[in-house]
Amino acid sequence: MDCIFCKIASGEIPTTVVYEDDKVIAFNDTDPQAPVHVLIIPKEHIASMAEINESNSAVVAHIFEVAALIAREKGLDNGFRVVSNCGESAGQSVHHLHFHLMGGRDFGWPAG
Ligand code: 5GP
Ligand code: ZN
């Protein structure tokens, strides 16, 4: 399977690693939309949030633990945003589950 995030997870494509363990890896987005813009992904290939079920949801909880850890480490004490775009209408462009952790500026809602 030709998946860019699987290649990042395996180390085949080098990236700026922010956090890594046996289940997940977090790295800087190459097109940052905020002063802090980190992508957190499971190492296992899951296409999107639409594929989450009771057999694979534990990694999502773990990703949220890692998001909070990175937010603390990056000093995002004023707040931050965690987003997962799922499917075409949400603008998902990479079809390997990922969570955007963004901070360091103010955000609008629901966009921006
Ligand atoms: P999506 O649009 O699917 O929600 O988010 C995909 C994100 O992956 C985008 O913010 C895009 O900038 C980022 N991205 C795409 N290709 C690469 C890559 O090769 N390396 C890194 N670090 N980020 C990437
Ligand atoms: Zn993948």
Side-chain angles (χ1 to χ4, degrees):
M1 184 176 13
D2 198 26
C3 172
I4 194 161
F5 283 2
C6 280
K7 289 178 180 170
I8 286 174
S10 70
E12 189 181 334
I13 294 178
T15 190
T16 311
V17 176
V18 174
Y19 174 93
E20 182 171 13
D21 62 28
D22 58 327
K23 296 183 186 65
V24 306
I25 184 167
F27 49 94
N28 287 327
D29 197 298
T30 47
D31 183 20
Q33 303 300 311
V36 173
H37 188 168
V38 174
L39 300 174
I40 312 171
I41 71 169
K43 289 188 168 177
E44 172 193 5
H45 183 87
I46 300 170
S48 77
M49 277 300 295
E51 291 197 354
I52 296 299
N53 54 53
E54 64 182 15
S55 75
N56 63 12
S57 61
V59 75
V60 178
H62 184 53
I63 282 170
F64 275 75
E65 287 175 36
V66 170
L69 178 77
I70 295 170
R72 284 193 293 273
E73 283 180 358
K74 299 276 186 187
L76 302 179
D77 303 326
N78 280 340
F80 56 89
R81 180 169 286 177
V82 177
V83 172
S84 186
N85 295 317
C86 179
E88 198 178 336
S89 64
Q92 184 179 4
S93 61
V94 177
H95 296 279
H96 179 129
L97 179 64
H98 54 280
F99 291 83
H100 300 256
L101 167 62
M102 295 182 289
R105 68 168 171 88
D106 294 334
F107 295 96
W109 182 259

